[in-house]
Amino acid sequence: DTEVTQTPKHLVMGMTNKKSLKCEQHMGHRAMYWYKQKAKKPPELMFVYSYEKLSINESVPSRFSPECPNSSLLNLHLHALQPEDSALYLCASSQVLTGVQPQHFGDGTRLSIL
Amino acid sequence: DAKTTQPTSMDCAEGRAANLPCNHSTISGNEYVYWYRQIHSQGPQYIIHGLKNNETNEMASLIITEDRKSSTLILPHATLRDTAVYYCIVRAPNSNSGYALNFGKGTSLLVTP
């Protein structure tokens, strides 16, 4: 079991749809992350939030829009996605942005774009 | 961050120790070694980390060589549920890029009955 909860586990959407991915943690962590993982590839960092502020955007297209409403929640809003955006989207959290303590991951949302 | 090199795949018999090597010959003094694993259809799971001393927890042991240029993750009694991709990651926690986890390709460990 993971202490980072992601919903939904699976999502199928068309290219014109708008949907959101949700991530929640109750470990008191102040840094939260979104990663994208394509099949048979390692996870790649997309966004980093620190104390609810966006700290890092790894040149992600604007059709992905992150949001951190409070210290426990992280959302990823999706709009006008492309088929190549189909992937596993992982959320992670850590105590602080830079520190020895590790990041902890959720089990991801598997996204399919039709 | 220092680059790591791991074997692409390894096999281990159930009940035996699994020893997963990692080479990080360009590691800097402030960089830690972290190990994660990813079981199929799950998110990466943190296993253990260390700086220079050997470390042990309920999941595994981490042996770091004295020159810190390589390390070995040891699963003392492998089970079928340990079949996963294991990632060795070098990270400088207190640096400007300390947030970054560069996963690399990892080692695919297959535990067989």
Side-chain angles (χ1 to χ4, degrees):
Chain A
D1 287 342
T2 177
E3 295 179 80
V4 176
T5 304
Q6 291 188 243
T7 54
K9 292 191 186 306
H10 302 275
L11 179 62
V12 179
M13 58 186 286
M15 288 189 285
T16 58
N17 292 156
K18 286 185 181 181
K19 295 286 185 184
S20 297
L21 310 185
K22 181 179 174 181
C23 174
E24 194 166 2
Q25 58 87 15
H26 294 288
M27 296 180 281
H29 290 177
R30 303 313 299 269
M32 296 186 76
Y33 312 75
W34 281 114
Y35 289 81
K36 173 181 178 179
Q37 186 175 25
K38 300 284 280 183
K40 299 192 186 304
K41 298 287 187 183
E44 295 179 344
L45 184 65
M46 300 174 71
F47 301 105
V48 182
Y49 274 82
S50 178
Y51 290 87
E52 295 103 74
K53 292 193 186 328
L54 182 64
S55 295
I56 307 291
N57 177 341
E58 294 285 0
S59 302
V60 179
S62 60
R63 58 185 184 269
F64 295 91
S65 176
E67 178 196 20
C68 190
N70 60 56
S71 60
S72 300
L73 282 176
L74 188 66
N75 297 322
L76 185 62
H77 303 298
L78 314 172
H79 174 54
L81 295 194
Q82 303 297 310
E84 61 265 27
D85 296 323
S86 297
L88 180 67
Y89 288 84
L90 295 160
C91 173
S93 70
S94 63
Q95 281 190 346
V96 291
L97 184 59
T98 53
V100 176
Q101 293 308 310
Q103 294 178 27
H104 294 273
F105 287 78
D107 282 336
T109 294
R110 191 162 299 279
L111 177 66
S112 297
I113 307 299
L114 300 179
Chain B
D1 287 344
K3 189 173 179 179
T4 61
T5 304
Q6 299 177 251
T8 302
S9 63
M10 294 181 64
D11 291 348
C12 178
E14 190 178 19
R16 304 296 294 268
N19 297 288
L20 292 94
C22 180
N23 182 286
H24 32 80
S25 58
T26 59
I27 193 169
S28 300
N30 63 341
E31 289 179 312
Y32 285 67
V33 180
Y34 289 77
W35 283 84
Y36 283 78
R37 73 180 182 184
Q38 189 168 21
I39 296 168
H40 182 62
S41 297
Q42 296 183 19
Q45 179 188 23
Y46 163 75
I47 301 173
I48 198 167
H49 72 277
L51 180 62
K52 54 184 178 181
N53 297 324
N54 298 339
E55 302 288 345
T56 296
N57 63 20
E58 65 279 4
M59 289 184 68
S61 294
L62 174 60
I63 308 298
I64 302 174
T65 58
E66 192 168 344
D67 63 7
R68 303 209 321 123
K69 292 184 177 182
S70 65
S71 60
T72 301
L73 179 75
I74 301 172
L75 308 178
H77 305 287
T79 71
L80 299 180
R81 289 177 294 180
D82 292 321
T83 292
V85 178
Y86 286 77
Y87 295 101
C88 170
I89 298 167
V90 170
R91 173 181 165 245
N94 298 308
S95 68
N96 287 339
S97 61
Y99 59 87
L101 290 181
N102 296 312
F103 278 86
K105 297 181 179 178
T107 295
S108 181
L109 175 68
L110 176 64
V111 180
T112 56

